[in-house]
Structures are given as structure tokens and as C-alpha cells.
Amino acid sequence: MPTIHTKNRVLVTGGAGFLGSHLCARLLQDGHEVICLDNFYSSSRNNVLALLQHPNFELIEQDVTSPLTMKVDEIYNLACPASPIHYQRDPVQTVKTNVLGALNVLDLARRHNAKVLQASTSEVYGDPAMHPQPESYNGNVSPIGVRSCYDEGKRCAETLFFDHHRQYGVKIKVARIFNTYGPHMHPDDGRVVSNFFMQALAGHDITLYGDGQQTRSFCYVSDLIEGLVRLMDSPLWITGPVNLGNPEELRIRELANDILARTQSDSRLIFEPLPQDDPKQRRPDITLAKRLLQWEPRVSLHDGLEQTHRYFAGLTQDA
């Protein structure tokens, strides 16, 4: 796709988080003015320390559930804890972040005729009965489970986006993000890549849930950010939802063995019961992203895990 040279004033909610911090850096590199908004509930100032000296970067500590008043051309709504440990800690607030946050960014976009992108999730598919998951699949989601605050919150946010588009003409984009990994992941977020690296590097037992035969598809963070930027820069008629993720499927036990070998750890594999509503399979159908955005992942799992290994090894050395 052609490079976009227009300089925009861009708001990134959740901008100090794992994905948000990488997105802020990319947008600055592309020549935009960036406003990073974050309440630091599950993120870290360290993720954006290197950006604070940039003349086009502004950091605002604020919750996305509070009214937004800045003037912007584009909005990326990434604000929401994305790991079960964080979003289940305060499930009511998680729902508020998803729903009130969506309403606030949509209201801001409507007032300033700005484009707004919702960072939705593969969790809208729940424990899928269709594999791989295309955007046309409506999902298999429990509205009353322990993960529902996140899953149903994200589904409601998508509803709000499309209703604002139909009712008010708001220029929306919706990305459904599948498992993403890389530097700036929270070391204690409970997600499988960070869990395995931190346990292996500390010499602790590596915890697998169920029999370890469930599958996930892992996309390196730079590939995911490229997909988000391409979706935002795409023609207005491309609203999404568009799946962004890596279609290469991997069993969780295979990932654990890879990380054990990579870290040269003597950790043992131990098995715990599968958490409630945890999906057995997760793999995106990215046909739409390939066709509309000319996007697909480029970074191999081998290379991406190597970069991630260096990041977590650095954290353990500094501790």
C-alpha cells in the first residue's frame, strides 16, 4: 500500500500499554503528532520513556471512561486490560472501559470528524465452533462467564462503533486482534508467552493448562502494528471488522518446549486444570486482510521469540 504522508494529530488510548507503546513509536516515525492517553492500570511509563523527549509526543494520564476534549484527526482506541489476570481483577470496570470508553472516543470522533479505530479482539469469537475464524463467524461466547467482562465488553464496543457509523456517519475501523507477543509485554500479565519466558528464566515450573494440546496463533508485535496502520489508512468504505493475526497454528506444549530450549532452562512442565471458557483453538482467517490491506505477517515465530527472549532476559537481569 502507498505510504501516507499527511501529518495528523493522533490520539492513542491505552498508548502506554504493550501494543499502544509500539503504535505510538510507529506513528511518530511516520511523522504524526501523537497524544498518548493512559491510566497505567495495566501498562507502564517505562514503555514510553524513550518517546517523552520527542517534540510531537504528549502523554496524558487519564481514564478513557472520562470525557475526552482534545482536538484530533485520528483515534486508535486500545484502552482496556487485555489479559485475564488484569481484566478479571475488576470485571465491572473492564466492562465500563470497553463500553464507556468506546462511547467517549466515538463522541470525540463525531465532534471532530475524525477517523476512529477500535482495537477489538479474537475473544469476540469465544470458544469457536468454526475453525479457522472468519469475520463472518458470529462466535460462541458466554455472557455470564468469568471472561465475559472482556469478551462481551468488546462485542458491545463493536456494536457501538457500527451503530455510530450507520446513525451518525462516524468514520470507523474495527480490527479483531489475535494473540500478539513481543517486547513491552507485561511480565506478570498471565498470558502464555510472558508466563513461559518468565517461568523458564527464573527456573520455575512451566504451567500448562489442560493437556497442552490446545492451539494458538502468535503474531509478532511489529506485524500487528503494520496491520493497524494499514487499516486506519485504508479507504473509508473499509470499516472492518478485519482479522489481524498469524494464521500459523501452534500447540501450547510445542511453544513451552521451544521456550525451554531457547532459554536452556531446566524447568519442568506441570499441568493445571483448564480455566473456565478458555478456547481450545484460536486461528485467524486473514483472507480479508490480505485482499483489502495487502497485509500478512512477515516475522517468523523463531525470530519473534528471539526478540522477546532478549526483552524478558533483560527484565530479569535488571530486577
Side-chain angles (χ1 to χ4, degrees), residues 44-62:
S44 172
R45 291 179 186 272
N46 290 335
N47 289 341
V48 293
L49 277 180
L51 307 180
L52 290 175
Q53 302 305 314
H54 197 292
N56 290 333
F57 182 75
E58 179 182 358
L59 177 62
I60 298 176
E61 184 170 354
Q62 181 183 324

Side-chain angles (χ1 to χ4, degrees), residues 154-170:
K154 288 288 190 179
R155 285 165 69 93
C156 186
E158 287 196 16
T159 299
L160 289 167
F161 265 67
F162 278 90
D163 282 341
H164 275 70
H165 175 64
R166 288 184 288 257
Q167 189 169 342
Y168 303 121
V170 176

Side-chain angles (χ1 to χ4, degrees), residues 175-222:
R176 289 179 177 166
I177 297 171
F178 283 68
N179 292 65
T180 308
Y181 70 100
H184 295 185
M185 292 186 81
H186 196 296
D188 300 318
D189 67 3
R191 287 188 276 194
V192 63
V193 171
S194 51
N195 261 9
F196 286 179
F197 269 117
M198 294 304 291
Q199 289 172 337
L201 289 166
H204 299 157
D205 292 337
I206 289 186
T207 308
L208 285 81
Y209 296 96
D211 58 7
Q213 296 304 304
Q214 64 270 41
T215 66
R216 294 293 185 272
S217 304
F218 297 98
C219 183
Y220 189 65
V221 61
S222 62

Side-chain angles (χ1 to χ4, degrees), residues 288-301:
L288 200 61
K290 286 182 177 180
R291 178 166 61 85
L292 296 180
L293 308 177
Q294 293 80 56
W295 176 89
E296 61 183 313
R298 301 293 184 188
V299 179
S300 69
L301 185 67

Side-chain angles (χ1 to χ4, degrees), residues 12-309:
V12 181
T13 70
F18 164 44
L19 296 181
S21 57
H22 286 277
L23 178 60
C24 287
R26 167 61 187 271
L27 293 171
L28 289 170
Q29 178 184 317
D30 289 348
H32 300 297
E33 295 180 14
V34 177
I35 303 170
C36 169
L37 184 141
D38 209 297
N39 67 353
F40 301 105
Y41 176 75
S42 59
S43 58
S44 172
R45 291 179 186 272
N46 290 335
N47 289 341
V48 293
L49 277 180
L51 307 180
L52 290 175
Q53 302 305 314
H54 197 292
N56 290 333
F57 182 75
E58 179 182 358
L59 177 62
I60 298 176
E61 184 170 354
Q62 181 183 324
D63 197 295
V64 75
T65 61
S66 299
L68 305 173
T69 58
M70 60 285 292
K71 189 178 187 308
V72 293
D73 303 301
E74 294 179 349
I75 308 164
Y76 289 83
N77 185 33
L78 276 62
C80 187
S83 73
I85 283 179
H86 292 146
Y87 68 64
Q88 290 173 9
R89 185 187 304 159
D90 190 344
V92 172
Q93 185 61 34
T94 297
V95 174
K96 288 180 178 179
T97 299
N98 279 312
V99 176
L100 297 180
L103 285 168
N104 282 336
V105 298
L106 286 162
D107 180 62
L108 186 66
R110 186 183 173 196
R111 278 185 277 124
H112 296 295
N113 194 32
K115 286 192 291 183
V116 56
L117 184 148
Q118 167 67 6
S120 191
T121 172
S122 61
E123 299 295 339
V124 301
Y125 299 120
D127 189 2
M130 178 181 287
H131 191 74
Q133 295 83 56
E135 292 85 352
S136 59
Y137 176 53
N138 288 331
N140 176 35
V141 180
S142 167
I144 59 172
V146 296
R147 300 169 68 102
S148 303
C149 59
Y150 184 72
D151 302 356
E152 294 286 52
K154 288 288 190 179
R155 285 165 69 93
C156 186
E158 287 196 16
T159 299
L160 289 167
F161 265 67
F162 278 90
D163 282 341
H164 275 70
H165 175 64
R166 288 184 288 257
Q167 189 169 342
Y168 303 121
V170 176
K171 297 179 287 190
I172 67 164
K173 308 282 182 176
V174 175
R176 289 179 177 166
I177 297 171
F178 283 68
N179 292 65
T180 308
Y181 70 100
H184 295 185
M185 292 186 81
H186 196 296
D188 300 318
D189 67 3
R191 287 188 276 194
V192 63
V193 171
S194 51
N195 261 9
F196 286 179
F197 269 117
M198 294 304 291
Q199 289 172 337
L201 289 166
H204 299 157
D205 292 337
I206 289 186
T207 308
L208 285 81
Y209 296 96
D211 58 7
Q213 296 304 304
Q214 64 270 41
T215 66
R216 294 293 185 272
S217 304
F218 297 98
C219 183
Y220 189 65
V221 61
S222 62
D223 282 331
L224 189 280
I225 296 304
E226 177 67 25
L228 292 178
V229 171
R230 289 193 185 203
L231 179 57
M232 179 65 92
D233 291 343
S234 65
L236 293 179
W237 62 267
I238 301 176
T239 60
V242 176
N243 288 339
L244 296 177
N246 194 324
E248 294 185 9
E249 199 170 0
L250 182 72
R251 296 192 184 279
I252 296 300
R253 187 161 186 168
E254 294 176 48
L255 176 67
N257 287 328
D258 182 300
I259 290 175
L260 279 175
R262 192 177 297 275
T263 57
Q264 300 181 325
S265 173
D266 294 326
S267 298
R268 299 177 306 145
L269 301 182
I270 61 170
F271 297 84
E272 299 286 347
L274 200 65
Q276 180 184 339
D277 298 328
D278 193 59
K280 311 299 187 302
Q281 292 180 304
R282 187 57 60 71
R283 175 187 168 198
D285 181 333
I286 62 168
T287 302
L288 200 61
K290 286 182 177 180
R291 178 166 61 85
L292 296 180
L293 308 177
Q294 293 80 56
W295 176 89
E296 61 183 313
R298 301 293 184 188
V299 179
S300 69
L301 185 67
H302 176 275
D303 291 345
L305 286 177
E306 185 58 33
Q307 294 298 318
T308 309
H309 177 201

